[in-house]
């Protein structure tokens, strides 16, 4: 073969141009020598399910790994369907990497349990550690952050997104030594407690390469103003509290500082807002490509609209439904570059007047030709609207629609929403991720199986009528990687029809469905490379349950390393 | 087939996860799922697909005329209350809306729905509470800060820059463990406005379910009378760990203060609970000591 005449260094050089994991995985399958070269040159590894492999095997295959991305709990853990202490601990990974001499520089975790001990071990063990990104994680406190700040001398990135962090009211921020000037990205918006403001200002002042800074709610506006003065090079800003007397010197200073911040392209936060202060940020809006106001319930509809009118270059918009259909109309006419839209509900407890309906979504679809990713919470939706959206936007990669009433029919026709979602999958040939809601029968799954050829992730709740629904999907969606189903009438027939399929997927979650213990046992017995876990929160495991019993929560996933050893009592691996 | 009852009988009270009440003509559970029904807080629906059933408000009995919009055809009985998904009750908010499906029914009692990250939920609730507290403070002097979870939209009109002062309070979900049970649960404290509703929910979660399992299986013993966790009259008592790491009896400090200091809950055997700080004053004195 031609490539055999190239020395390994050349191969490695070529492989370095491959940035996606998929490509590198593909390349490693070509032949033994490519496999060898690839594995020694791989620096970034992505593990979609931390229990699919163990750290020792990973490191023995990729000894030069420098950047590790790990995902832990199943996605539905986000919505409280997985009991605490289920698993997803990062400590064993860090411990193994220390033991095996990995030169870790970057660690990105999602839905994992991170203890302070893990963070301390991490901070002390890897001298060139540069980047820590934690998304939806839990189990640590500000003491762990203090360890990172103190010990990681070359830290560039500390990015904490939506984590549950116990705030010990310590001075973790003050633990960054005066010699630390390397920070490029600092995001502590999810922290609940105080930070020393003077320390923060000094830290920002000496980190000249700081590009991204997201503050938490305790950082007041006058500190923000000082920070912006010291860091005009910022590209991404998350404001904390944005509250001040409107006719004040501070606000004027802020406006001046903002004028000088010409690089800001991404804005978020505004965790507390005094609406009268908002006009100060209008100058920033002109160049914004990303705007996340989904944690800013203090901004009302009319102020939102005024703000949006300035954002002509927006590509990504995360917003609360207070924007209303009219506001979305404004978005549609203003933001012609929009690619991603997320509209979150603001009124979780009340019956509430839904602020957005399907009309807003239709308006966006008509006005934003580049739209490819949508997450939309609304009270209801019609088939007609979905069909129109599908026609307007054939380029969807991600489409997630959540009706607040999970089984609501088309309010006009009283029909299920099968046709609407069917239109989406038929039109959007590149659709990779889909979340359904509303009244849905097996028919929608027939459409999905028929048309959603690129679908990788499907989320189903309260949908379908018989096992056929699930079968359509399993038989049709060849590229399916993650399937998660709650409260739907799919049972053993569907589950057992093609168990080989599950080895081609990352995971399957089924909760409150009709699958029985016996069926789960069958899979476990026949497929040694699948872990079938039953989450049992009652005390049914003490008496040996009948195989005919329904299983309340089942999570099955492929794994190269068999049963995990850290499962808690309420998780039973069959 | 028996209709399933809402756990917390009276309307408007308790932070319970509602069950669907259904008139017999539309419920059609298969026999074997009765076991699961008894275990907890099921949405309790029959096998009818074509008709829809709106979500019930907690404690409200639905009748046939409520069945208009979409609803799942199957029972989604969650074993032992689906407790890992906690009760996100709307019930302490105020009187339940009497509504038909078309008026938009609250989805908040359903475990796992709407699919919003816990972090975001907590954040919105905390912001709503804080804003309401702001308003209360700005309003009539001497008014006690609102205990109720407000369902109004946040209306933050304050110009004050007191972000540092306001205690945002605990994120909603805290772990609850009970002596003798290996499995912990989580509850969303923001769903309750007072100790009584919280205690009631916990009693349902930890005691009623056990009772029902046993009675269905035909086992004997297990208590059948409701256990009062707050008044010391039963074998168990409700305690919490506060920020300083001390374990305290629940119920002594004002609710708002409790919310801001509680880290987790434990249903402790009364015999072990002797010597726990019974009151606020004593707690202050004990602060100097080591946490338990």
């Amino acid at each position: 073969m031609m490539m055999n005449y190239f020395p390994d260094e050349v191969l490695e050089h070529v492989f370095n141009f491959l940035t996606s994991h998929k490509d590198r995985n593909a390349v490693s399958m070509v032949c033994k020598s490519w496999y060898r070269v690839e594995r020694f040159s791989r620096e970034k590894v992505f593990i979609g399910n931390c229990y699919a492999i163990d750290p020792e095997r990973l490191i023995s295959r990729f000894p030069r790994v420098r950047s590790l991305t790990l995902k832990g709990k199943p996605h539905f853990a986000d919505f409280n369907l997985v009991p605490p202490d289920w698993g997803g601990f990062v400590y064993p990974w860090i411990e193994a990497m220390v033991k095996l001499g990995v030169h870790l520089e970057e660690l990105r975790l999602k839905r994992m349990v991170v203890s302070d001990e893990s963070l301390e071990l991490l901070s002390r063990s890897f001298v060139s550690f540069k980047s820590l990104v934690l998304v939806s994680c839990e189990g640590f406190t500000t003491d762990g952050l203090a360890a990172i700040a103190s010990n990681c001398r070359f830290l560039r990135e500390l990015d904490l997104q939506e984590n549950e962090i116990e705030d010990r009211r310590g001075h973790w921020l003050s633990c960054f030594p005066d010699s630390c000037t390397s920070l490029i990205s600092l995001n502590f918006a999810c922290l609940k407690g105080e930070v020393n403001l003077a320390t923060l200002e000094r830290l920002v002042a000496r980190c000249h390469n700081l590009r991204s800074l997201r503050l938490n709610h305790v950082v007041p506006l006058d500190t923000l103003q000082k920070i912006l003065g010291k860091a005009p090079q910022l590209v991404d800003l998350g404001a904390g509290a944005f509250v001040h007397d409107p006719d004040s010197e501070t606000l004027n200073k802020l406006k001046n500082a903002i004028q000088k911040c010409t690089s800001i392209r991404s804005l978020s936060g505004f965790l507390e807002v005094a609406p009268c202060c908002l006009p100060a940020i209008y100058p920033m809006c002109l160049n914004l490509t990303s705007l996340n106001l989904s944690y800013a319930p203090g901004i009302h509809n009319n102020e939102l609209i005024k703000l949006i009118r300035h954002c002509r270059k927006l590509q990504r918009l995360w917003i609360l439904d207070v924007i209303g259909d009219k506001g979305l109309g404004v978005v549609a006419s203003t933001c012609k570059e929009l690619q991603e839209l997320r509209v979150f509900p603001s009124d979780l407890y009340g019956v509430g007047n839904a602020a957005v309906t399907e009309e807003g979504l239709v308006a966006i679809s008509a006005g934003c030709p580049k739209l490819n990713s949508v997450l939309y919470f609304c009270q209801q939706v019609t088939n007609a609207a979905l069909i129109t959206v599908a026609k307007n936007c054939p380029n969807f990669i991600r489409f997630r629609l959540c009706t607040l009433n999970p089984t609501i029919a088309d309010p006009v026709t009283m029909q299920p929403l099968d046709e609407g979602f069917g239109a989406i999958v038929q039109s959007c040939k590149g659709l990779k991720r889909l979340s359904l809601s509303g009244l849905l029968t097996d028919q929608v799954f027939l459409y999905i199986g028929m048309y959603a050829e690129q679908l990788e992730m499907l989320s189903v709740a309260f949908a379908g009528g018989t096992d056929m629904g699930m079968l359509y999907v399993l038989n049709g969606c060849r590229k399916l990687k993650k399937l998660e189903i709650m409260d739907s009438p799919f049972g053993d027939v569907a589950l057992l029809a093609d168990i080989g399929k599950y080895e081609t997927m990352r995971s399957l979650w089924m909760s409150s469905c009709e699958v029985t213990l016996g069926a789960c046992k069958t899979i476990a017995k026949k497929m040694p490379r699948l872990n079938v876990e039953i989450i049992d929160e009652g005390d049914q495991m003490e008496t040996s349950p009948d195989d005919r019993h329904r299983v309340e929560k089942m999570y099955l996933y492929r794994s190269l390393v068999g049963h995990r050893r850290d499962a808690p009592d309420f998780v039973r691996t069959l | 087939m028996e209709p399933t009852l809402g756990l917390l009988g009276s309307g408007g009270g308790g932070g319970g996860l509602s069950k669907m009440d259904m008139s017999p003509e539309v419920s059609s559970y298969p026999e074997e799922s009765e076991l699961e029904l008894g275990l907890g807080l099921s949405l309790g629906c029959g096998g009818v697909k074509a008709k829809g059933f709106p979500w019930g408000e907690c404690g409200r009995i639905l009748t046939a005329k409520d069945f208009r919009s979409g609803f799942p055809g199957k029972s989604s009985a969650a074993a032992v209350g689906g407790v890992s998904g906690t009760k996100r009750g709307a019930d302490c908010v105020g009187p339940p809306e009497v509504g038909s499906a078309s008026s938009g029914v609250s989805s908040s009692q359903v475990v796992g729905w709407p699919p919003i990250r816990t972090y975001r939920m907590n954040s919105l609730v905390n912001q709503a509470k804080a804003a309401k507290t702001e308003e209360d403070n700005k309003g009539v002097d001497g008014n006690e800060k609102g205990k109720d979870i407000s369902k109004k939209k946040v209306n933050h009109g304050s110009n004050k820059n007191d972000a540092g002062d306001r205690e945002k309070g605990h994120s909603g979900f805290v772990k609850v463990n009970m002596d003798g049970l290996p499995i912990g649960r989580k509850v969303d404290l923001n769903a309750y406005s007072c100790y009584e509703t919280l205690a009631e929910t916990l009693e349902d979660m930890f005691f009623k379910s056990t009772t029902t399992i046993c009675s269905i299986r035909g086992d004997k013993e297990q208590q059948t009378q409701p256990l009062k966790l707050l008044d010391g009259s039963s074998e168990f008592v409700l305690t919490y760990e506060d920020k300083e790491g001390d374990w305290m009896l629940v119920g002594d400090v004002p609710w708002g203060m409790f919310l801001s200091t509680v880290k987790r809950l434990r249903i402790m055997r009364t015999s072990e609970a002797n010597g726990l700080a019974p009151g606020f004053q004593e707690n202050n004195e004990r602060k100097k000591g080591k946490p338990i």
Side-chain angles (χ1 to χ4, degrees), chain B residues 133-141 155-160:
Chain B
T133 311
E134 269 275 300
E135 286 190 8
D136 286 348
N137 289 344
K138 272 167 59 187
V140 179
D141 271 5
N155 188 13
H156 190 121
S158 169
N159 286 335
K160 290 205 191 106

Side-chain angles (χ1 to χ4, degrees), chain A residues 28 36 38 74 105 129 131 172 178 198 234 281 335 367 426 428 458 473 483 498 506 561:
Chain A
S28 67
R36 185 175 38 83
E38 198 283 319
E105 292 182 10
F129 192 76
S131 170
W172 67 275
D178 289 341
L234 279 178
I281 66 166
C335 308
Q426 194 175 357
C428 305
L458 179 64
V473 171
L483 178 58
D498 178 10
R506 187 187 296 169
V561 292

Side-chain angles (χ1 to χ4, degrees), chain A residues 307-340:
Chain A
L307 197 94
I308 300 261
R309 286 196 200 278
H310 296 266
C311 301
R312 304 203 149 266
K313 297 198 187 151
L314 219 51
Q315 294 172 17
R316 171 152 49 141
L317 177 63
W318 291 24
I319 205 150
L320 290 172
D321 63 3
V322 295
I323 191 164
D325 285 336
K326 207 171 82 146
L328 287 175
V330 174
V331 174
S333 56
T334 310
C335 308
K336 294 303 184 185
E337 302 295 313
L338 196 68
Q339 295 175 26
E340 175 179 333

Side-chain angles (χ1 to χ4, degrees), chain A residues 275 278 282 293 296-309 319-331 346 354-356, chain B residues 153-155:
Chain A
L278 278 179
Y282 289 170
L293 295 176
I299 305 181
H300 306 155
N301 174 276
N302 48 335
E303 286 122 21
L304 265 181
I305 292 179
K306 274 196 269 185
L307 197 94
I308 300 261
R309 286 196 200 278
I319 205 150
L320 290 172
D321 63 3
V322 295
I323 191 164
D325 285 336
K326 207 171 82 146
L328 287 175
V330 174
V331 174
S346 56
V356 296
Chain B
K153 296 213 161 109
V154 173
N155 188 13

Side-chain angles (χ1 to χ4, degrees), chain B residues 119-131:
Chain B
Y119 175 85
R120 185 176 286 280
M121 288 253 210
N122 287 342
S123 180
L124 277 183
V125 169
N126 285 340
Q127 282 170 318
K129 275 168 66 179

